[in-house]
Amino acid sequence: MSYRTLGFGLMLLLIVGSSAAVEPFVFAQLTDTHVADSGSSEDLRIVLSDLRRHDDLPEFVLVTGDLSDFGETATLNRYAEIMEKSGFVHYSVPGNHDSRWSGLELAAQEVILTQAQPFSFVYKGVQFIGLNSALPLEAWGHIDASQILWLEQEMSRVGSELPRILFCHHPFLYPDRSYQPESERLMQVIESGPVVLFLSGHGHSFKHWTVNSVRHQMGAATVRSRSYQLVHIDEKTIRIEQWVAGESVPRESRKIDLWPKKVASFAIDSSAADHATGELGFYLCIPHKDDYDSATWWLRRNHKTAVPLRVDTVAVAALDTLDRWLPGFNTAIITAEWPDGSRVLRRFDFTLGTDAVQPLWQVDLHDRIQASLAVADQLIVAGKSGKVWALRPEDGSVLWSQTLHGDIRKGLTCSQER
């Protein structure tokens, strides 16, 4: 994927290598506007009008995805028209509702939004970076490898002396569930920051959490809830106010230091299986053990629900039961959590070898396999080109094949042997 700069008259202030101090300013975050009909359009207009009653008028507006309800050209155009008529400088990133059903290409979305995806700008000493976490046909989100590379290059261009605020639609490293998969590379780039705040939407509620010394903030939905966040920034602090249009006081207001307190992150060096004792050990590198004395440890096996984990900080090892893991590829996510809710998280991918599991057969269908389904005595597989095969499970021989009209992206189902 290539990322372009679109020349639509939208001014992005970019200061490369500047060491200027942060100047005080205010901006607003809206999210999940879901523009579709007159009701959702009116919710957005009311929130934009409500922004103007504050003494500290926001100097620009960030909108973190689900701009329209189903991503059609007409509703995205309606969203863009409402934002343009508001008079606010605004920056938008797409969400799953903008990409999941309509099939509208990213280039078309960029034209409507007059905004390349991803993008970056610097304002009064703070770098803002918008990422595109939306995926076609999916509700969950993902920041792909090409965006991570772009992010790393963009952060390097500006320099590490500027604080950074990242934003996208899907929450990253959310405590209760995975809205987008934990990417070790993305975590490393963010931690190299300094990223002082990560804004998101998708959850339709006000939430905040801290992972690997990065503060995350989820906004509540503009549609129906008529909610938004005002973010006040000065040279030392960030104050985040959570508002509902028409209410006289914010639902919550909290102030945090502009520069977050850094906790030295641990690393997972290796793993080792002991088949005699039935244990699987993870060997950790903890830079400052005193920082971890009050931490509680958690383990997620292959993205399942987190379970308590005992870590011996003297031996610097965590032990788990071997039979809870699968032969072959596995993912362990180990988290240290402190009483204030902040966490340090590390992901570790590893392979468990065993002589008991060997390939029964292998067949080359000369296509990219998009989906598979076991039905009775057949294994049905579908290729990207639109071809479907039925294979014999015993030896992989082809029982029958059929070519459909059009590409197959993913997914097969069975109904009454069809």
Side-chain angles (χ1 to χ4, degrees), residues 153-206:
Q153 294 171 343
E154 195 66 20
M155 290 168 67
S156 298
R157 285 180 59 195
V158 172
S160 60
E161 67 275 9
L162 292 188
R164 295 176 169 90
I165 294 178
L166 269 59
F167 57 101
C168 68
H169 179 63
H170 295 82
F172 186 54
L173 302 174
Y174 186 67
D176 299 331
R177 61 176 296 185
S178 179
Y179 287 111
Q180 54 173 307
E182 290 89 350
S183 165
E184 188 71 17
R185 184 63 188 139
L186 179 58
M187 284 192 288
Q188 290 171 354
V189 173
I190 291 173
E191 290 166 38
S192 71
V195 174
V196 300
L197 188 63
F198 197 131
L199 296 169
S200 62
H202 193 62
H204 287 223
S205 56
F206 294 124

Side-chain angles (χ1 to χ4, degrees), residues 48-99:
L48 290 167
S49 175
D50 201 73
L51 293 177
R52 297 194 173 279
R53 69 182 168 99
H54 296 283
D55 293 334
D56 294 325
L57 191 68
E59 297 175 40
F60 59 88
V61 177
L62 303 181
V63 191
T64 52
D66 281 2
L67 315 172
S68 64
D69 210 18
F70 291 102
E72 309 100 329
T73 301
T75 53
L76 277 173
N77 276 322
R78 187 176 303 146
Y79 161 82
E81 181 183 7
I82 294 171
M83 294 302 299
E84 193 63 31
K85 287 184 176 179
S86 74
F88 285 107
V89 175
H90 56 276
Y91 306 96
S92 305
V93 292
N96 55 290
H97 273 255
D98 304 307
S99 302

Side-chain angles (χ1 to χ4, degrees), residues 217-354:
Q217 185 83 29
M218 179 196 294
T222 294
V223 69
R224 290 185 291 277
S225 299
R226 297 179 177 177
S227 300
Y228 60 91
Q229 298 192 114
L230 285 181
V231 183
H232 303 249
I233 293 183
D234 60 33
E235 63 276 9
K236 292 183 178 180
T237 64
I238 301 174
R239 188 173 84 250
I240 304 170
E241 297 177 346
Q242 300 166 351
W243 285 91
V244 174
E247 295 188 357
S248 58
V249 294
R251 292 287 177 94
E252 182 180 324
S253 178
R254 70 186 189 101
K255 183 180 287 189
I256 55 179
D257 292 335
L258 176 65
W259 300 100
K261 177 186 176 182
K262 298 287 288 184
V263 176
S265 177
F266 69 91
I268 306 174
D269 285 338
S270 60
S271 65
D274 188 334
H275 293 277
T277 62
E279 290 183 329
L280 176 64
F282 297 97
Y283 297 95
L284 311 178
C285 175
I286 302 178
H288 304 292
K289 294 181 181 180
D290 293 346
D291 293 343
Y292 286 80
D293 286 342
S294 61
T296 302
W297 293 85
W298 298 87
L299 170 66
R300 288 177 62 196
R301 309 181 186 99
N302 293 318
H303 305 284
K304 304 295 184 182
T305 302
V307 296
L309 178 67
R310 185 180 68 86
V311 171
D312 185 345
T313 55
V314 177
V316 199
L319 296 177
D320 194 34
T321 305
L322 182 59
D323 62 12
R324 299 295 183 101
W325 299 89
L326 302 172
F329 182 82
N330 289 271
T331 295
I333 297 172
I334 295 179
T335 302
E337 183 175 7
W338 283 265
D340 64 358
S342 62
R343 302 178 300 146
V344 170
L345 175 154
R346 291 267 74 97
R347 169 175 170 158
F348 185 69
D349 296 327
F350 63 100
T351 301
L352 278 180
T354 174

Side-chain angles (χ1 to χ4, degrees), residues 381-383 385-390 398-406 408:
V381 294
S385 65
K387 194 168 184 179
V388 178
W389 296 266
V398 177
L399 297 172
W400 55 262
S401 65
Q402 183 173 345
T403 300
L404 305 180
H405 298 291
I408 297 174

